[in-house]
Amino acid sequence: MARQKTEHFSYISVPSKIIPFHHSLQFKSLKSSPVQTIQFSTSPKLFVLLLFFLLFLTFQLGIHLPFSPVPCSPLFSNVASSRQSIHIWQRVNVSSNVSNEFWEQPNGMAYRPCLEFSEEYRLQSVVMAANKRKYLLVVASGGLNQQKLEIVDAVVIARILGAALVVPILQVNPIWGDESEFSDIFDFEHFRKVLADDVQFVSSLPSTHIMARIVTDKQIPFLKSPQQIRSRYLKRFNREGVLLLRGLNNKLSKDLPKDLQKLRCKVAFQALKFTAPIREFGNKLAARMRSRGPYVALHLRVEKDVWIRTGCLPGLSPESDKIIQVQRKLHPELLTGRSNMSSHERKIAGQCPLTALEVSRLLKALGAQSNTIIFWAGGKPFGGPEALQPLTSEFPNFYNKEDLALPGELTLFENKSSILAAIDYIVCEQSDVFMPSHGGNMGHLLQGSRAFAGHKKFISPNKRQMIPYFLDPTLTESEFNRILKSLHENSLGQPELKIDGARRDVTAYPVPECMCNDTDTRSTV
C-alpha cells in the first residue's frame, strides 16, 4: 500500500519571558567585568565577526540561534487564545498520526475514469439532437442522495426514449419539509453543458406541449432493459409527447449496456455539481477540518427514524428501546425488510446501524489513535449527545458542521435539509478516510465518487461477520482488534472488479465499466 503523502507542520510557541528579545544582542553576567561583558555598541567590527561566526555555525552544524531574526515573530508572542493553543496541540500531536497505517490509502491499481462512448452511441446523439417532440418529466423523491440517484436514472431513461428531459422536480419531503428546487442545489448550466452530447434539456415544457395529455406512470415496475422501457412507454409517448414518471427509486436495472452504464457515471460524478454557494461553504468547512490535520469522516445513522425503519434497537437504555418499539408498532408501514425478524436477529444478520460504541471500537481496531480528527455527518442522534459519548470520550477531536461554522454562517441554510446534506457530502468527500455506520444512499454515492477520484480510502464495515465478535465478552482487546483488522483487509476502498452475473450499481462500483488502467486500451476523459 502506498503511504499517504501529506505535508503537516508543527508549531511550538516559546514564551517571551524565557527568551527576552532585548537580551538577544547583549550577553552580561550579573557582575560587570571587562572579560565577561561584550559591548557591541562600542565594537561594531567584533559584533559583525561574532554574528558571522554564529551564522556559520547555524548553517554548517544545524545549530539554532536563540533569537528570532524577525522582531514581530509569533514565537515571542506571550498572548495566545485558548483556541489557538488547542490548534497548536493538535498540530504537534496529529503529525505523529500521519505515519500510522490507518491513514494509508488503498492500492488503486492505477484505475482512472474512462468514459469514451461507442460510435453507435455518438451517432444516436446526432439524431436525438434534431428530435425535440418528446419531453420527459420526472419527480425525484426522498432525501438529497436518493434524489441524485433518481436524477441519474431519469437521464438514462430520457436517453433510451430519445426524449428531452425537463429540469427534474424535487418533491417536498414530508419529514424534512425542504422546498428547494433543482437549481437551488445543483448547477443547472453545468449539468446541461456536461450532458449536451447525451440528452437535451429544457427548463420547462414548451408552449406546444403545455396542454398535451400527459402519460403518467405512478406504479413503475422494475425496468430490466432498454427494450422493456421502450415497449412500456414509447407508443403512447410518441402519440402524446409528454411522459411523467414518479417513484423511480431503484426501479431501473443496474445491469445495462456499457454505454448507458458510462452515462450513469457521467451524470453522477461529473454532471451533478452543487451550486457555487454550496461548494464554497462546503469547501470552507473542509479547509477548517484540513487545518487540523488529516481527518476521518463518519456518516452516523443513529437518528430516531433510522432505528424505527431498520427494526433495530439503539441499546442506550430499556426506556429508549421501548420508545422505538412503541413507535414501530404505531407506524408498521415504516419498517423496511422482513418484519418477522427480531431486532437481535437483524443485528446478527448485519442489518442494523453501528452504535457509537461499535464505531469507536472498530476505528481503534483499524488503527485510529485517540487524537484522530473526526468529522461526523448525520441528523440529530436519538438520545442526544449522550448517544455519541462512547465516540467523543475516545476521540475528543470530534466535529460536525455546527461546530465548524462561525456564528451566523448556517443561518442562510435553516430549514434547508437538502442543502445541509450537500454541505456534509462535500466535507466527507474531501476527507482522508470515510466510513458509514450503515448502508444508505449517501454512503453509496460517496463510495462511487471516492473510487472515481482514485480510490480514496473508504471503510465498508463488515457487519455480518464482525458483530458476533462484538458480542463475545471473552475476547481480549488485542485479540478483538486483530480479528477486526483481518476482516477488513479487503474492505478499505480497493478497486472491486465485477463478478460475472453480479448486479452492482456503477454509481457505487465504477470499475470496470467507467474506469480503466494501463492494461486497458480504452481512452480516458
Side-chain angles (χ1 to χ4, degrees):
M1 289 189 181
R3 281 191 192 279
Q4 182 185 3
K5 296 182 180 178
T6 307
E7 282 190 81
H8 297 279
F9 301 90
S10 299
Y11 303 96
I12 303 175
S13 61
V14 182
S16 59
K17 291 180 182 179
I18 298 177
I19 309 176
F21 182 75
H22 67 277
H23 286 168
S24 61
L25 297 181
Q26 181 172 319
F27 302 93
K28 279 188 177 182
S29 67
L30 292 176
K31 294 182 180 180
S32 180
S33 167
V35 178
Q36 293 174 324
T37 304
I38 303 174
Q39 295 291 343
F40 295 125
S41 59
T42 60
S43 184
K45 291 183 179 180
L46 184 58
F47 167 68
V48 172
L49 288 172
L50 181 58
L51 183 59
F52 178 83
F53 180 68
L54 288 173
L55 290 172
F56 176 84
L57 288 177
T58 299
F59 289 110
Q60 296 297 321
L61 303 179
I63 299 173
H64 297 282
L65 296 177
F67 57 85
S68 169
V70 184
C72 296
S73 169
L75 285 173
F76 299 96
S77 171
N78 57 1
V79 178
S81 68
S82 59
R83 181 175 291 272
Q84 289 171 329
S85 300
I86 291 171
H87 288 181
I88 291 171
W89 178 87
Q90 288 172 346
R91 286 182 179 271
V92 171
N93 285 276
V94 168
S95 63
S96 65
N97 245 347
V98 179
S99 61
N100 189 293
E101 66 177 319
F102 178 79
W103 299 106
E104 290 181 351
Q105 296 298 308
N107 182 355
M109 298 170 62
Y111 273 101
R112 59 190 181 277
C114 288
L115 296 180
E116 182 178 352
F117 294 89
S118 68
E119 183 178 356
E120 180 185 1
Y121 181 93
R122 294 195 297 270
L123 290 173
Q124 289 175 349
S125 297
V126 176
V127 175
M128 288 177 59
N131 182 9
K132 294 185 179 180
R133 295 180 302 166
K134 295 179 292 187
Y135 296 88
L136 176 63
L137 290 166
V138 171
V139 178
S141 59
L144 171 71
N145 293 292
Q146 180 179 321
Q147 290 174 342
K148 287 176 70 175
L149 290 170
E150 291 193 19
I151 292 168
V152 170
D153 286 354
V155 173
V156 173
I157 292 174
R159 172 76 193 196
I160 292 170
L161 296 175
L165 181 63
V166 182
V167 177
I169 300 166
L170 306 186
Q171 180 176 306
V172 179
N173 191 287
I175 297 177
W176 299 292
D178 190 342
E179 298 181 358
S180 298
E181 298 179 357
F182 184 96
S183 58
D184 295 324
I185 301 172
F186 303 106
D187 185 333
F188 178 64
E189 288 308 314
H190 175 82
F191 186 70
R192 186 207 301 263
K193 183 178 179 180
V194 170
L195 298 172
D197 295 332
D198 306 283
V199 174
Q200 300 298 306
F201 294 94
V202 294
S203 55
S204 60
L205 281 175
S207 58
T208 54
H209 287 67
I210 290 178
M211 300 303 292
R213 293 175 57 189
I214 298 177
V215 179
T216 305
D217 194 345
K218 296 180 180 178
Q219 299 295 326
I220 301 174
F222 180 71
L223 304 171
K224 296 181 180 179
S225 66
Q227 293 74 20
Q228 185 186 28
I229 293 170
R230 294 190 188 102
S231 65
R232 183 174 179 86
Y233 299 117
L234 204 51
K235 185 176 180 180
R236 290 181 61 195
F237 194 12
N238 286 336
R239 184 173 67 247
E240 306 298 344
V242 182
L243 170 65
L244 172 63
L245 298 179
R246 294 176 178 269
L248 265 177
N249 188 27
N250 289 320
K251 294 297 178 64
L252 184 60
S253 171
K254 309 305 178 193
D255 190 14
L256 294 173
K258 288 182 179 179
D259 284 323
L260 296 179
Q261 297 288 64
K262 292 177 189 292
L263 179 57
R264 264 188 168 135
C265 292
K266 190 175 182 179
V267 180
F269 306 135
Q270 295 181 344
L272 279 173
K273 184 169 73 171
F274 297 122
T275 61
I278 294 174
R279 294 199 314 272
E280 289 169 5
F281 188 64
N283 290 336
K284 186 183 295 185
L285 296 191
R288 290 174 189 170
M289 285 299 299
R290 177 71 55 204
S291 71
R292 293 161 165 80
Y295 69 95
V296 183
L298 302 176
H299 186 208
L300 300 179
R301 307 296 306 281
V302 290
E303 302 95 328
K304 183 177 181 180
D305 68 296
V306 174
W307 293 118
I308 294 172
R309 287 188 291 104
T310 57
C312 303
L313 296 176
L316 301 172
S317 66
E319 292 75 21
S320 67
D321 288 350
K322 186 174 181 179
I323 291 172
I324 297 300
Q325 290 169 329
V326 169
Q327 289 296 313
R328 192 175 296 138
K329 288 180 181 179
L330 293 174
H331 303 282
E333 72 281 1
L334 297 178
L335 182 63
T336 57
R338 291 174 290 176
S339 59
N340 61 339
M341 293 179 68
S342 68
S343 59
H344 181 72
E345 289 170 335
R346 289 173 182 268
K347 183 82 171 177
I348 295 298
Q351 297 180 7
C352 293
L354 295 178
T355 65
L357 177 60
E358 290 162 346
V359 170
S360 176
R361 294 187 70 190
L362 176 56
L363 288 175
K364 289 170 63 180
L366 296 178
Q369 299 175 0
S370 61
N371 58 357
T372 297
I373 312 298
I374 294 178
F375 174 84
W376 71 278
K380 183 180 179 181
F382 177 65
E386 292 78 10
L388 301 181
Q389 193 273 335
L391 258 171
T392 56
S393 61
E394 289 289 344
F395 301 98
N397 299 311
F398 194 77
Y399 308 89
N400 64 3
K401 55 183 173 292
E402 285 78 13
D403 300 319
L404 297 173
L406 300 177
E409 283 187 324
L410 288 174
T411 304
L412 292 174
F413 310 121
E414 286 181 355
N415 302 318
K416 299 290 183 181
S417 61
S418 292
I419 294 178
L420 292 173
I423 293 167
D424 272 344
Y425 190 96
I426 292 171
V427 183
C428 289
E429 192 173 35
Q430 296 187 32
S431 66
D432 299 271
V433 180
F434 176 79
M435 186 179 83
S437 68
H438 190 54
N441 294 318
M442 181 172 175
H444 174 109
L445 282 167
L446 275 167
Q447 180 176 353
S449 66
R450 291 176 74 87
F452 201 72
H455 290 89
K456 295 168 64 179
K457 191 165 186 176
F458 181 101
I459 301 171
S460 301
N462 194 339
K463 291 187 289 185
R464 184 184 292 273
Q465 292 189 35
M466 73 181 185
I467 289 300
Y469 298 104
F470 278 98
L471 303 176
D472 186 351
T474 65
L475 287 176
T476 64
E477 184 176 3
S478 60
E479 183 68 7
F480 174 85
N481 291 348
R482 184 192 63 78
I483 292 171
L484 260 66
K485 190 173 181 180
S486 174
L487 289 176
H488 289 86
E489 286 180 350
N490 298 314
S491 302
L492 303 176
Q494 304 95 325
E496 296 189 37
L497 300 178
K498 186 175 181 179
I499 302 172
D500 290 342
R503 289 177 55 248
R504 296 198 310 186
D505 194 338
V506 293
T507 55
Y509 302 94
V511 175
E513 289 94 333
C514 303
M515 301 185 76
C516 57
N517 59 18
D518 292 336
T519 63
D520 199 313
T521 59
R522 288 176 290 179
S523 303
T524 62
V525 294

